[in-house]
Each structure stands twice: as structure tokens, then as C-alpha cells.
Amino acid sequence: MPRDTPRGPDRGTSRTPARTSPRTTSRTASRTTSRTKKSPATSRRAFRARFGKGFGTGLGKAFRTGFGKAFRPRARRSRPVRPVELPARPGHPYRRALGMAGVVLAGAWLGLLVVGSVRVPVGPMDTSMTLRASLSGGTKINVSPLGALELDTHTAPIRLDVDVEQLDPVRSQALVKHPERISGLQDEVARDVGRGTLDLAVRSCAAVVVGAGTLGLVVYRRPRRAVAAGGLALALLVTSGATALATWRPGAVLEPRFSGLLTSAPSVVGDARSIVSEFDVYQQELARLVTNVTKLYDATSTLPAYRPDASTLRVLHVSDIHLNPASWKIVASLVEQYAIDVIVDTGDTMDHGSAAENGFLDPIEDLGAPYVWVRGNHDSRTTQRYLERMRDVHVLDEGRAVTVAGVRFAGTGDPTFTPDRSTPAGGDAANRMAGIRLASTLRDQRSAGTPVDIAVVHQPATARETDGTVPMVLAGHYHRQETRTLPLGTRMRLEGSTGGGGLRAVEGKKPDPVEASVLYLDRDTRRLQAWDEIELGGLGLSTAEVSRHLAEENRPGATPPERVP
């Protein structure tokens, strides 16, 4: 080929094919063969998978960064996997509501448990006030280490706990050195309690909202559910507070339940005479409580002596001792502590009524108060004759009446005697008949101008027959304390077992408690003003509790009932 002949299409317009060598022809043939085996797209994908997007780019990187880094297999980018959102299965509406209610209640309870308490100085004492969930409501005042007082102040699912933590020595000494300040203690205590209650209400609201909201967020992990739980908890607390206000009973401070060492100090809330005569008593009794507790703390070695009011008669009601020798020590202690004027025993003092048991009765003469007794179904005629010979013991039977410590009693013994199995099948009929005969005697006493103040029997069936003939009738037999007003106006008072059931105390799963009552009578009218129910733990137990109760006609706002003639 002449040298001036241009090669390729860009050197001229000649299209004469160039000569090819055999080697070129062979290379071309092999390329053609390979292209027939694989498609161009397949070859490019395989090449790119091994060396990258382009060979030229790979060569450029090779010269700049080295062949090893350029031709290293490239890490593939991982695409984020989107979670597959399945349609939510709607739960049962009752189940969802129950779950929310559980979260609200548990969260509110935890909130009150952790946060809901405030420290408040009340008079000379440092106290802490706490709201607690409770089914019965009420107020509990813990006076450590003396014991506690429980007040039935309201009916709501919350209880107010007041813990008396310590007595401030500076404020206490100021009261001791300046007794005139005690007259202003009433207003001071009222202001302190009001301020503490308001602070406690605000803090408790915050506690239940935070507690329920936090628990709702943990359980549901949704802010809306957490906010709903907090709102429901707040609504629950506000509703409970409104219920407590609607059912608030200021007079409950007159009827506390004592426990611990405070059972030995009935003067903490004042005597029955002052309780009845002073009716605007809520703040007064609260101030008196603070004052007396201050005195209790100040006299750390002994509790203050109980100074009885001169215008009040005290009757100790015991029953069903059942041959328990420990009962005499308990009765003697109550006589001394409460300055008892007369003891009334409504029977079953013995267990079998045998002559060998008579020596058990000897401590009665040393109890320090007159003893009025009627026969029970475990007491024999032998027992009755033994007691009739004892000093300062008054045995009542067949309607016999006697005046002791200014109170006129009349009573009759149980017509049946159980230990020798002489009780007939219709035993209640015999007791009712005894009650009818006693009622006739009571009417005769009234006609004679010597009306009876208190009737004394053993069986309640006998007591019910005296309705309308006497202001009050005392009985026992059932080993439980109960007070009721019969249809015609007579108050029937049943006493528990002062002997804790005697030897029978170990027959059941739990021993019977030792029970007695102190009845407060007006010295002029001999009518019941109030009574203290005393309950001691049974065999092997060491608990003590005193409950004070007011007669219905002496409660705030009550109208005096018609007097039983």
C-alpha cells in the first residue's frame, strides 16, 4: 500500500479495507467466537462485579492508590430494613379498661407510698401526715411508743395517718412554764392541722399523678396513655377527698379506739361527764389530746393517774369468767385505774359449780369495790350460797332489788344449770318465763316509788322480756360484746367473756379475748352517758384495745329520747 494513503475513516474518504495479518485475523476470530458464547450484557456484569464500574476508572485508581486497593471487592451498602407494621388487633374493651384501672390504682398507691407525706408541727409535737389507701377510711394517730388511737372520722377509700414522731423540748417547756398558753392551744392546733392537711392534699395530688403517669408510661409506652392514667388517678383522689368531706364526722374524736399503752390512760380524751356536757368539742378535744399526750411524754416513767369526775358513776361490767384465775388481777387493775364504784357480774363465774371450786371466789372480797352478782347456767345454788356469805357481795335472784353506790339494781339468776345436763329441751322458754317474772317485779318496784335503774340477768332471752320496764338491762352468756336498744326503749348491754372463755379458750383455732366494759352513769339521773369496751388478747396474746362509745341521746344533734319510767 502507498504510504500517502490515509488509514481509517478520519484520514480521508477512502474506504479501502486495510490489510490484516494472520495474528490479527486470529484474535478477531476468537473475539467473535467469545461474543457468540456470552452476550455483551452478561460479560459487562461479570466484569463489573469483579473490577468495579469501569475498567478505565479501575486503572486510574490503580495508578493513584495502588492495584490492591483499587481492585478490592467493594462492600455493598446495606439498605435499612423497614419494619413491617401489622394491623393492631383491638383488645377487648373490658380487658383494656381493667388493665388501665390496675395501672391507675397501682401507680396512685405507689405515688402515695413514696411521696405523699408531710411533716407538720402540731402544738409542741412534730408529726408527719400521710394518706394511705384503705377500704374502711378513718384516721389513725400513732403516738410512739405509747400506742395508737383510731378515729372513725370518715368513710372513703383513703385513710389519714398521723405519726407523732417526737416532742419538741422547747415548745413543751414553754407550755409547762406558761400554763396560760394552754388556753390558746386550741386555735394553734386547729391552724396547724388545717395547714398540714392542705399541704398534704396538694402533695398527694402530685404524688398520684406522677406515680400513675410514670407507671402508665412504663406499661403502655405511649404518652397519651400515661397522661390518661395520671388524670384518672387525680380524679380518683379528688373524688375520694370529696367523699371524705361529705362523710366527715367531727364527733368521732369522742369515740376513739385505743391500743398499746394508751389503753391505760382513758383521761387522754377526757372523762364521760365533760364529753357529754361540752358539745362543741372537736377542736377542744383535739387540743386536750395534744395537751395530755404532751404530759404523757413529759412523764416518761409512768402514765398519768386517772382522776375521775365527781359527778360520774362508774360501773364495771364483767361476765363469763369461767374459772379463769387471771381474771381477778385484770378486774382489780380496772377497778383501780378507772376508779370503779361498783362491779356487776352477769354470771357463769364458775365452770361446773361444784363445792370444790368455791375457793376460786375468795379474791372477790379484795377487789376494792362492791360486787353485784347473778347466777349463770354454769353456776350452781351451792356457788350462790357461798357468795351470799361474803362481805360486800350482793346476790340478786327472783327479782331481788338492792341499791349500791347510789344505783338501784334488780335481777334474777338463770333458771337452768348446764353442767349436770338438767337444762330441758325448751330452755329458752324457761329463761323467757324468768324474764316475765322479773319484768313484773320491776313494775311493782316502780309503783312502790323505788324504780330500778339497771336490771341484771345472764341470758339475753331473759333480758328481752324486761323491755319497757327499766332503762338498761345487763346480760352475758354469748361471749361477745353488743349494745342494742329494744323496741320499747330499754338498752340491752351484752358483755363478752372476762375470763377469755376459761379452759375452753384453747379449744378453738384462736383464743377468746378477755372483755369487760366500764359504764359511765350520770350520778343524778343514773342514765348511761358513755361506755368503754375493753378487750385484751386471749391466752398467749398481749394486745390491748379500748373503744369509747357515746349513748345515742348524747351524740351531737341528737334529741333526748323519752325516758323509760
Side-chain angles (χ1 to χ4, degrees):
M1 173 186 292
R3 293 186 179 182
D4 55 354
T5 305
R7 292 188 239 175
D10 55 344
R11 299 301 179 99
T13 58
S14 174
R15 299 186 180 272
T16 304
R19 294 182 181 180
T20 57
S21 63
R23 183 179 297 175
T24 304
T25 305
S26 176
R27 189 180 299 128
T28 303
S30 64
R31 288 179 181 173
T32 305
T33 306
S34 65
R35 289 174 181 172
T36 58
K37 294 181 179 179
K38 292 184 179 180
S39 65
T42 304
S43 300
R44 283 195 298 272
R45 281 197 298 271
F47 187 87
R48 289 178 180 175
R50 183 173 183 182
F51 297 106
K53 291 183 179 180
F55 187 73
T57 305
L59 287 178
K61 287 185 178 180
F63 285 109
R64 290 195 303 270
T65 61
F67 281 87
K69 191 173 182 180
F71 291 96
R72 185 179 303 159
R74 186 181 61 179
R76 295 183 178 180
R77 294 182 179 178
S78 59
R79 296 182 179 179
V81 180
R82 296 182 179 178
V84 180
E85 296 184 0
L86 297 176
R89 294 178 58 189
H92 198 282
Y94 294 128
R95 190 180 305 168
R96 292 200 305 270
L98 187 61
M100 176 61 77
V103 169
V104 169
L105 293 176
W109 176 76
L110 289 174
L112 289 177
L113 192 64
V114 176
V115 185
S117 64
V118 295
R119 296 175 63 88
V120 181
V122 178
M125 298 179 297
D126 292 330
T127 68
S128 64
M129 295 183 176
T130 310
L131 284 181
R132 293 281 183 254
S134 173
L135 295 177
S136 58
T139 301
K140 185 175 182 180
I141 304 174
N142 299 303
V143 189
S144 178
L146 301 177
L149 297 89
E150 294 185 13
L151 309 175
D152 188 17
T153 54
H154 61 275
T155 303
I158 52 174
R159 187 186 71 195
L160 175 62
D161 287 356
V162 181
D163 296 323
V164 180
E165 297 178 347
Q166 64 180 359
L167 186 70
D168 186 271
V170 177
R171 301 198 299 270
S172 175
Q173 288 299 323
L175 284 177
V176 174
K177 294 179 180 179
H178 303 281
E180 66 276 5
R181 295 186 180 180
I182 294 179
S183 60
L185 187 61
Q186 168 185 336
D187 297 331
E188 180 183 351
V189 169
R191 286 194 302 269
D192 292 341
V193 172
R195 184 169 56 251
T197 304
L198 180 60
D199 190 9
L200 178 63
V202 174
R203 185 169 299 190
S204 298
C205 289
V208 298
V209 170
V210 172
T214 303
L215 186 61
L217 190 62
V218 171
V219 173
Y220 295 110
R221 298 183 181 181
R222 293 181 181 179
R224 288 186 178 180
R225 291 289 184 92
V227 171
L232 289 174
L234 179 60
L236 177 63
L237 181 61
V238 171
T239 303
S240 301
T243 305
L245 288 176
T247 59
W248 184 256
R249 293 180 291 272
V253 73
L254 303 179
E255 302 184 23
R257 293 174 61 88
F258 298 96
S259 62
L261 294 177
L262 284 179
T263 57
S264 300
S267 60
V268 167
V269 294
D271 57 42
R273 179 71 179 186
S274 63
I275 286 176
V276 173
S277 59
E278 299 172 7
F279 220 37
D280 184 16
V281 293
Y282 177 59
Q283 293 181 350
Q284 297 175 11
E285 291 300 326
L286 188 58
R288 184 178 301 179
L289 173 63
V290 171
T291 304
N292 283 277
V293 170
T294 301
K295 294 177 181 179
L296 291 179
Y297 269 106
D298 194 51
T300 55
S301 58
T302 58
L303 292 172
Y306 181 62
R307 293 192 294 269
D309 185 67
S311 61
T312 303
L313 289 169
R314 288 159 180 79
V315 177
L316 177 62
H317 184 194
V318 300
S319 187
D320 296 84
I321 292 176
H322 284 293
L323 217 64
N324 186 347
S327 299
W328 300 129
K329 295 182 179 180
I330 295 172
V331 172
S333 176
L334 293 174
V335 168
E336 180 181 2
Q337 179 65 34
Y338 285 85
I340 296 299
D341 296 300
V342 57
I343 306 169
V344 177
D345 186 343
T346 49
D348 273 3
T349 310
M350 313 297 271
D351 213 17
H352 296 87
S354 63
E357 299 172 339
N358 286 343
F360 169 75
L361 302 171
D362 292 342
I364 291 179
E365 291 183 318
D366 301 322
L367 292 178
Y371 202 86
V372 177
W373 182 86
V374 294
R375 185 178 67 253
N377 60 297
H378 281 265
D379 303 318
S380 65
R381 298 279 180 174
T382 303
T383 302
Q384 180 167 316
R385 287 190 293 269
Y386 188 84
L387 282 169
E388 287 173 342
R389 295 192 296 266
M390 296 183 70
R391 173 178 49 86
D392 219 8
V393 175
H394 306 273
V395 176
L396 305 181
D397 196 13
E398 302 298 335
R400 177 175 179 253
V402 61
T403 300
V404 183
V407 182
R408 189 160 182 81
F409 299 92
T412 188
D414 197 313
T416 61
F417 183 54
T418 302
D420 64 358
R421 300 294 185 268
S422 62
T423 304
D428 279 349
N431 283 284
R432 288 195 297 271
M433 184 58 64
I436 293 172
R437 290 195 297 268
L438 177 59
S440 177
T441 303
L442 294 174
R443 283 189 288 268
D444 293 341
Q445 290 281 335
R446 184 180 59 198
S447 300
T450 56
V452 173
D453 301 311
I454 299 177
V456 184
V457 298
H458 178 68
Q459 295 264 7
T462 307
R464 283 190 286 268
E465 299 299 327
T466 65
D467 186 16
T469 62
V470 67
M472 182 166 62
V473 57
L474 304 181
H477 185 64
Y478 284 137
H479 295 195
R480 69 171 185 268
Q481 292 179 325
E482 182 181 346
T483 302
R484 69 170 71 172
T485 300
L486 299 176
L488 298 180
T490 296
R491 179 178 283 107
M492 183 175 67
R493 178 88 181 90
L494 304 185
E495 190 53 75
S497 174
T498 310
L503 296 177
R504 295 171 180 80
V506 298
E507 293 179 355
K509 295 181 179 179
K510 294 177 62 178
D512 291 337
V514 175
E515 295 176 316
S517 298
V518 178
L519 312 179
Y520 299 94
L521 306 180
D522 185 276
R523 188 176 293 274
D524 298 329
T525 64
R526 279 90 60 194
R527 298 305 171 95
L528 182 68
Q529 297 177 334
W531 68 94
D532 288 342
E533 292 183 352
I534 302 166
E535 180 179 313
L536 306 178
L539 186 64
L541 302 178
S542 58
T543 59
E545 188 173 271
V546 180
S547 303
R548 173 159 292 181
H549 304 270
L550 288 180
E552 291 83 356
E553 58 268 25
N554 293 328
R555 294 178 180 272
T559 56
E562 296 182 1
R563 297 181 57 178
V564 177

